[in-house]
Amino acid sequence: MSRPNILILMADQLAGPFFPDGPAPFLHAPHLARLAERSVRFPAAYTASPLCAPARASVMAGQLPSRTGVFDNAAEFASSVPTFAHHLRRAGYRTVLSGKMHFVGPDQLHGFEQRLTTDIYPADFGWTPDWRRPHERVDWWYHNLGSVTGAGVAEATNQLDYDDEVAFHAVRAIHDLAREEDGRPWCLVASFTHPHDPYVARRRHWDLYEGSPALDPEGEAIPYEAMDPHSRRIMDACDWRRFAVTPEMVRRARRGYFASISYIDEKVGEILGALEAMRQEAVVVVLSDHGDMLGERGLWFKMHFFEHSAGVPLMLAAPELRPGRVETPVSTLDLCPTLCDLAGVDLSEVAPWTDGVSLLPVAEGAERGPVPMEYAAEASVAPMVALRDGRWKYVRCPADPEMLFDLRDDPGERTNLALRPEGAEALARMRALADARWDLAAFDRAVRESQARRLVVYEALRNGAHFPWDFQPLQRASERYMRNHMDLNVLEESRRFPRGE
């Protein structure tokens, strides 16, 4: 397929360990399982940052947060940063987004020619953290453990409303792309907010997990006093002392999460069904922005570099790629150059604007190099960085002791080898790699300056007349269905697919 169509199916907060080689056997996800059979699967894929807006800006641009400036969920994504949508559109693609991308700032397109829905989260600076007040908890927008204690069943929720709309518009977009035949290849992103908490699901999906063996976390919870400093800060940010989380609540929260994966699978099936019905061929990519600790170690949500938080599913189905499992650690930073490579874009024109690499050579056995991650948002007090290189994962923060894990022998990340003599050689090597990549003092200054600027601007913009940046989808009603500037005979024929059958 020269200049193939591209379909990107994006989940939110879907943890990579539940996709060891496609969906885990206990998951009821038949559409994703069938897609996995014809995909290259990357079980060691990592987010660039374990939080929504930074992670998604990095997916779009292939750049780390220290480069995009999207440090947290209220940091502006600058219009001047090239994204895969820009690169593809420049190469002649039609670029369409249905769903969540959590763009902050007045630019709500970032290279997309069409956006079919609004976002589920705000586009302004209201969620800005403030490292000058490290122990201040902003209750109206910070996570808390109510998502865990309140897990259960509902047929309609805020998030179900949103994702139903995302799937509907994605299916209709495939219909329109097939019918309009403007000669351009297309890239369609369908980006859902599930299985992100709150852990609430429809009954038909909830019932699939009655008695599931996966309802209990794999490892024991670590007591608060024994947690690493950043884990304790996450617990404090989640207001853990105010909630009495019982083992049954943990099981219900995990059940709601798994049920939400089945819901997403259902929506994926609708979109893939539309692709087949409309006779459209496309490269298909499945990924998430970051993961969810989901009770492992006693932690919830994301914001850390542990596997359940930082690991994500990544599957790529393309005719030129042999399906199979690739163990090499890779990054969501790699999506942008990979899409460009698939589309025939000259990678020398993309390379200056990305920290990622094309995964096409990696899928054939090439090395990728160390995978970097960054975090500088809520619950942090200074920039945190991490590297995954082979069996090793290294975590550094100026405010905390270093961490080093051997993921081959210690996949649960229970033994910090930075504190043990047997880790000394690997620690020295990983330190050197981190020293060569990051200036953490400069990173810290950039984050603090960004926070301070945004807090001033937000306070000002909330006074007087308020003009929101939230994306407003336009329906162009005078161009829909039948209107009197149209020929009804031409209209009916042009909107039929297939024609003449």
Side-chain angles (χ1 to χ4, degrees), residues 173-326:
I174 291 171
H175 293 173
D176 289 343
L177 291 165
R179 288 183 293 193
E180 290 170 10
E181 296 180 338
D182 70 355
R184 291 183 292 167
W186 51 261
C187 174
L188 170 63
V189 179
S191 183
F192 299 96
T193 192
H194 285 88
H196 191 293
D197 62 289
Y199 307 114
V200 178
R202 289 182 174 139
R203 172 63 66 182
R204 68 177 181 274
H205 302 119
W206 177 271
D207 287 348
L208 294 171
Y209 293 93
E210 178 71 36
S212 171
L215 295 184
D216 289 303
E218 292 181 9
E220 294 290 327
I222 298 174
Y224 175 84
E225 297 74 17
M227 289 180 172
D228 65 276
H230 185 63
S231 292
R232 292 199 298 270
R233 289 194 295 269
I234 292 173
M235 293 292 288
D236 292 342
C238 293
D239 206 12
W240 68 280
R241 293 177 180 86
R242 191 160 64 87
F243 297 87
V245 177
T246 67
E248 179 57 25
M249 290 174 180
V250 171
R251 287 190 284 271
R252 285 178 64 83
R254 289 172 66 91
R255 185 173 180 176
Y257 181 87
F258 300 144
S260 294
I261 295 174
S262 294
Y263 165 78
I264 289 296
D265 182 76
E266 183 177 278
K267 297 303 170 187
V268 166
E270 292 174 9
I271 294 169
L272 295 178
L275 205 67
E276 182 178 359
M278 300 305 285
R279 304 175 188 179
Q280 297 290 289
E281 294 184 356
V283 168
V284 182
V285 181
V286 174
L287 79 160
S288 181
D289 51 356
H290 51 74
D292 190 322
M293 291 302 296
L294 210 64
E296 298 294 341
R297 310 175 71 91
L299 294 173
W300 293 89
F301 318 130
K302 55 272 187 179
M303 302 180 282
H304 214 311
F305 295 127
F306 294 124
E307 289 291 284
H308 273 80
S309 171
V312 297
L314 180 58
M315 305 193 303
L316 175 59
E320 60 266 51
L321 295 177
R322 290 174 296 175
R325 176 172 170 149
V326 176

Side-chain angles (χ1 to χ4, degrees), residues 243-433:
F243 297 87
V245 177
T246 67
E248 179 57 25
M249 290 174 180
V250 171
R251 287 190 284 271
R252 285 178 64 83
R254 289 172 66 91
R255 185 173 180 176
Y257 181 87
F258 300 144
S260 294
I261 295 174
S262 294
Y263 165 78
I264 289 296
D265 182 76
E266 183 177 278
K267 297 303 170 187
V268 166
E270 292 174 9
I271 294 169
L272 295 178
L275 205 67
E276 182 178 359
M278 300 305 285
R279 304 175 188 179
Q280 297 290 289
E281 294 184 356
V283 168
V284 182
V285 181
V286 174
L287 79 160
S288 181
D289 51 356
H290 51 74
D292 190 322
M293 291 302 296
L294 210 64
E296 298 294 341
R297 310 175 71 91
L299 294 173
W300 293 89
F301 318 130
K302 55 272 187 179
M303 302 180 282
H304 214 311
F305 295 127
F306 294 124
E307 289 291 284
H308 273 80
S309 171
V312 297
L314 180 58
M315 305 193 303
L316 175 59
E320 60 266 51
L321 295 177
R322 290 174 296 175
R325 176 172 170 149
V326 176
E327 302 289 348
T328 304
V330 298
S331 172
T332 56
L333 295 166
D334 302 332
L335 182 67
C336 176
T338 301
L339 296 178
C340 292
D341 202 0
L342 284 164
V345 176
D346 185 349
L347 290 186
S348 68
E349 297 187 7
V350 179
W353 316 114
T354 180
D355 299 315
V357 304
S358 171
L359 292 177
L360 302 191
V362 177
E364 298 298 327
E367 292 297 316
R368 192 258 179 233
V371 172
M373 293 174 271
E374 298 177 347
Y375 187 74
E378 59 251 41
S380 65
V381 294
M384 298 177 60
V385 297
L387 286 170
R388 170 74 197 270
D389 188 38
R391 62 195 279 192
W392 302 102
K393 183 193 287 181
Y394 172 70
V395 179
R396 175 188 289 184
C397 176
D400 302 329
E402 297 166 293
M403 291 191 286
L404 178 71
F405 299 105
D406 181 349
L407 295 181
R408 187 190 67 184
D409 295 340
D410 178 28
E413 300 168 292
R414 297 291 175 137
T415 303
N416 182 7
L417 293 174
L419 307 175
R420 300 196 176 191
E422 58 266 36
E425 182 178 344
L427 179 63
R429 187 175 65 82
M430 298 299 279
R431 277 177 177 167
L433 290 172

Side-chain angles (χ1 to χ4, degrees), residues 37-57:
E37 291 174 358
R38 60 184 180 94
S39 298
V40 179
R41 285 100 58 195
F42 296 93
Y46 291 92
T47 183
S49 186
L51 191 69
C52 178
R56 289 165 181 272

